[in-house]
Amino acid sequence: MRSPKSFANFSSSVARASGRPLTFAASIAVILAWAVSGPLFGFSDTWQLLINTGTTIVTFLMVFLIQNTQNRDGAAIQAKLDELIRASAAHNRYIGIEGLTEEELDDLRARCASRAARDMPAELLDAADRAEDEADRKARAAAARAVGSTC
């Protein structure tokens, strides 16, 4: 078997090629050719089996190739984020949190939001409240105008 690097290069190439408009157009052309050939083969079971088998095989193989590409892309992005965390004033405890459960991540998000609200200066909170009140006032005025114009 070839090296893992060869498979990575192959799967990246296939994933890139499969996402191109020309590839999509080619697949449409194959399906149209199959459909047009139906009367020639009397819409036989073999004719139907041909497209079913072909699409099943392509789909089955593409799932693994695209998943391989997505796994590598996700790992690369995670490594980049981890390096940014290490190189900044961010907390290193966030490195590796992608392995947490949904509940643990929800708890972590809630704690971060709570800490952000607590650490926000009072003048920013006041400005946010004023902006929210102003937006609410404008929305009510627009709703009143809309109701008045429909009567």
Side-chain angles (χ1 to χ4, degrees), residues 7-149:
F7 182 72
N9 291 338
F10 174 73
S11 64
S12 293
S13 297
V14 171
R16 262 191 311 279
S18 66
R20 294 209 167 115
L22 185 60
T23 308
F24 180 75
S27 65
I28 294 293
V30 167
I31 291 170
L32 287 175
W34 170 79
V36 168
S37 71
L40 297 172
F41 294 100
F43 300 102
S44 68
D45 289 344
T46 303
W47 174 79
Q48 292 178 26
L49 187 62
L50 177 70
I51 196 72
N52 288 339
T53 303
T55 55
T56 301
I57 290 170
V58 169
T59 302
F60 182 76
L61 294 175
M62 288 298 291
V63 165
F64 295 105
L65 292 174
I66 292 172
Q67 187 63 51
N68 177 271
T69 302
Q70 290 293 315
N71 288 347
R72 283 184 293 107
D73 287 348
I77 288 170
Q78 200 59 54
K80 291 174 187 178
L81 289 172
D82 288 350
E83 184 58 27
L84 286 172
I85 291 169
R86 273 193 290 285
S88 71
H91 298 285
N92 285 343
R93 68 175 169 249
Y94 292 109
I95 294 174
I97 65 170
E98 63 275 2
L100 297 177
T101 65
E102 284 295 317
E103 293 79 17
E104 292 168 329
L105 285 171
D106 289 342
D107 182 52
L108 181 62
R109 280 190 213 109
R111 283 188 283 143
C112 287
S114 172
R115 202 168 37 247
R118 183 187 68 231
D119 294 344
M120 190 178 288
E123 53 273 1
L124 284 179
L125 288 172
D126 291 340
D129 287 340
R130 284 193 304 275
E132 186 177 351
D133 291 342
E134 180 64 15
D136 186 49
R137 184 190 64 74
K138 287 181 180 180
R140 289 178 191 274
R145 283 192 304 274
V147 169
S149 67

